Amino acid sequence: MRVPFLDIPAQYRDLASELDSVVLDVLRSGAYVVGKHNKALEEELARRHGVRHGIAVNSGTDALRIMIQACGIGPGDEVITTAFTFVASAETIVQVGAVPVFVDIDPQTFNIDVAQIEAAITPRTRAIMPIHLFGQLADVRALTALAQKRELIVLEDAAQALGCRHDGVYAGNFGRAAGLSFYVTKNLGAAGDGGLILTNDDDVAERSRSLRIHGMGRERYYYDAVGYTSRLDEIQAAILNVKLTRLDVWNRRRAEIAAIYLRDLADSGVTLPVQSPGNNHTWHQFTIRSRNRDELQAFLKEREIDSMIYYPVPLHFHTPYRGYGEGEGSLPETESAAREVLSLPIHPHLDDEQAAWVAKCVAEFTAQVPSGR
Ligand SMILES: Cc1ncc(COP(=O)(O)O)c(C=O)c1O
C-alpha cells in the first residue's frame, strides 16, 4: 500500500470550488497586493491566537526576520536559540546582523532545553528565540519566567505552531512577537510562500508593517527604515482564508492518525513523541526516534511508505553557521536527535488503513532489529 508523506492536491480537492472562485475573484478584481483578503487573514489569525495584531508577509522566513528587526535586535546582539531546526531560524538572526547562540534541546520534545539557557547568557544577550517544533510549544512557562528575570526579549519561531497553546494561551502571547509560516507543507499551507507576524506590541506591529513595505512610514514614499518587499499576495491570502475554514477538521484528522500511531506503536520499542503537560499538539510532524533510523527508513521505503528526516544535520554543522557553534559534540542531544529522528506521514488525507499499515511496518522492523529501537 503506497503511503505518501503529503497529499497537497487532496487539500485542493476538498475545497476546489471555493478555491477556484476566490482566486478568480482576485484576478478579476485587480487588487493583487494589499486588500481585503490580507486584512481578513490578519484579523482572523490574531483573533484565533488572542493577539492584538497580525501582519501578513510573504514567507515565514520574512516573518522571523522582520519581527526580529522590529523588536530592535541588530548588529552585535546575541540571540539564544537551538540548532535542531529549519535553517531560517538562525539565518534570520544572522541576516539582521545579530549572533545566534545555540543551546541544546530537550530530547523528548526537541524544543529548547530551558535549563541550559542561563549558562549561555552574556552581557550581549538580548533575546531568546524558542522554536516551537513539530506542533507543540516549547517550555514557555519556564522560558518566559527566565526571560523576565534576565530582562531578555522572547521571539517565538512559531512557523510550525499555528494553533499551538499552553494552558489555553496561544503562540504569539509568550514572546514580544511570533512568526508563522504558510509554506505549502504546513498545517495551513498557501499555494506558494506566505507568513504572518503575531504581536501584542503596538510599536512592533507598526514597525513590522513598515518593514514589509520598504520601511515606508505613514506617508507614502517617505521611509523610516531600510526594509523589504514582503507583502503577501492577495491570491495567497484568499487561498489561506478558504483553507482556514477547514483547518480544524484537518487538524482533528491529524490527531486521529497520531492516536493510531501512539496506540499501535506503544509496545514497539521506538521512541514515540511526547506531548508536554499543558500543551496541545497540532501534529505538524509525528517524529519517532530509532537507533537504526536509516535502515528503518529504507525498510519503510521498500514497502512504499514515505518518511522524512527533520532535520538530518544540525545547524552548527553547516558551513555558514559553523562559526556560531562550538563544533561536534557541543550539543549532544541535538546531534543525537539528528541521527535518530524519523517523521512518519501524518497528513489529514491518510486513511486509518494507511496509518495502521505504517505502524505495522515500523513494529515489524523493530521486532526484526531490536537494537534499532
Ligand atoms: C521552524 C521553522 N522556522 C522557519 C521556517 C521558515 O518558513 P518559510 O519556509 O515560510 O520561509 C520554517 C518553515 O519552513 C520552519 O519550519
Side-chain angles (χ1 to χ4, degrees):
M1 190 187 319
R2 169 110 184 82
V3 187
F5 195 73
L6 289 165
D7 192 349
I8 306 297
Q11 289 183 18
Y12 169 70
R13 286 195 297 275
D14 273 5
L15 296 160
S17 63
E18 292 101 308
L19 287 168
D20 290 353
S21 100
V22 87
V23 168
L24 267 180
D25 278 354
V26 175
L27 282 175
R28 287 176 179 140
S29 76
Y32 297 157
V33 181
V34 180
K36 62 179 184 185
H37 298 288
N38 263 266
K39 188 165 185 289
L41 181 72
E42 290 177 339
E43 286 176 1
E44 175 58 13
L45 285 173
R47 188 193 66 75
R48 279 183 176 231
H49 279 246
V51 169
R52 283 166 66 81
H53 304 280
I55 301 105
V57 293
N58 72 10
S59 69
T61 304
D62 273 10
L64 297 183
R65 181 173 46 224
I66 289 174
M67 80 174 188
I68 295 169
Q69 199 171 329
C71 287
I73 309 294
D77 294 335
E78 291 180 357
V79 180
I80 295 174
T81 189
T82 52
F84 189 68
T85 176
F86 182 63
V87 68
S89 312
E91 178 187 48
T92 49
I93 295 169
V94 174
Q95 282 170 341
V96 305
V99 177
V101 174
F102 299 123
V103 302
D104 216 349
I105 55 166
D106 171 326
Q108 287 200 308
T109 63
F110 308 108
N111 283 324
I112 193 163
D113 181 353
V114 177
Q116 302 204 24
I117 293 176
E118 191 108 45
I121 297 175
T122 76
R124 288 179 302 283
T125 308
R126 287 283 312 285
I128 308 169
M129 184 157 86
I131 294 121
H132 304 312
L133 216 54
F134 299 155
Q136 72 170 325
L137 296 182
D139 184 358
V140 282
R141 292 283 174 223
L143 190 130
T144 49
L146 174 66
Q148 207 169 8
K149 189 177 90 182
R150 302 300 301 261
E151 297 182 350
L152 299 173
I153 297 168
V154 176
L155 301 161
E156 298 174 72
D157 180 341
Q160 303 184 10
L162 201 167
C164 291
R165 52 185 192 271
H166 179 80
D167 290 344
V169 180
Y170 282 81
N173 289 285
F174 301 101
R176 189 163 298 172
L180 303 176
S181 163
F182 307 126
Y183 180 63
V184 181
T185 58
K186 296 292 192 283
N187 289 31
L188 177 68
D193 282 303
L196 188 129
I197 297 160
L198 291 170
T199 182
N200 283 314
D201 185 311
D202 297 349
D203 294 335
V204 170
E206 190 173 333
R207 278 197 290 276
S208 299
R209 287 205 173 90
S210 162
L211 286 169
R212 79 174 162 181
I213 171 168
H214 303 288
M216 195 152 80
R218 291 215 174 109
E219 214 173 325
R220 214 175 163 81
Y221 301 125
Y222 285 79
Y223 303 94
D224 296 334
V226 176
Y228 308 97
T229 322
S230 190
R231 293 158 296 210
L232 181 68
D233 294 340
E234 274 288 271
I235 287 185
Q236 297 299 351
I239 289 169
L240 289 164
N241 285 327
V242 171
K243 285 189 162 187
L244 248 181
T245 63
R246 198 54 66 92
L247 182 65
D248 295 342
V249 173
W250 285 339
N251 280 351
R252 275 200 292 279
R253 182 63 195 147
R254 285 175 185 268
E256 285 168 9
I257 295 156
I260 293 173
Y261 288 158
L262 290 169
R263 180 196 67 204
D264 291 2
L265 292 173
D267 301 320
S268 68
V270 287
T271 305
L272 293 170
V274 173
Q275 187 174 332
S276 298
N279 276 359
N280 71 330
H281 206 310
T282 60
W283 298 110
H284 177 54
Q285 300 297 344
F286 188 97
T287 303
I288 61 172
R289 298 181 69 139
S290 163
R291 284 202 292 275
N292 282 49
R293 186 267 315 277
D294 293 342
E295 289 83 344
L296 171 57
Q297 186 173 40
F299 184 90
L300 295 175
K301 190 78 204 156
E302 274 167 30
R303 284 151 187 80
E304 297 193 304
I305 296 169
D306 292 345
S307 59
M308 295 290 286
I309 299 169
Y310 299 120
Y311 297 91
V313 183
L315 295 189
H316 66 303
F317 285 9
H318 293 278
T319 309
Y321 301 97
R322 225 170 253 157
Y324 299 107
E326 302 289 325
E328 196 171 340
S330 60
L331 300 171
E333 295 298 351
T334 296
E335 293 164 30
S336 93
R339 284 190 298 269
E340 294 183 1
V341 288
L342 190 67
S343 295
L344 303 178
I346 193 161
H347 64 79
H349 296 87
L350 283 181
D351 60 33
D352 287 5
E353 218 188 330
Q354 286 173 306
W357 167 241
V358 173
K360 187 165 180 288
C361 292
V362 173
E364 199 182 314
F365 175 83
T366 51
Q368 282 175 23
V369 189
S371 66
R373 291 177 166 188

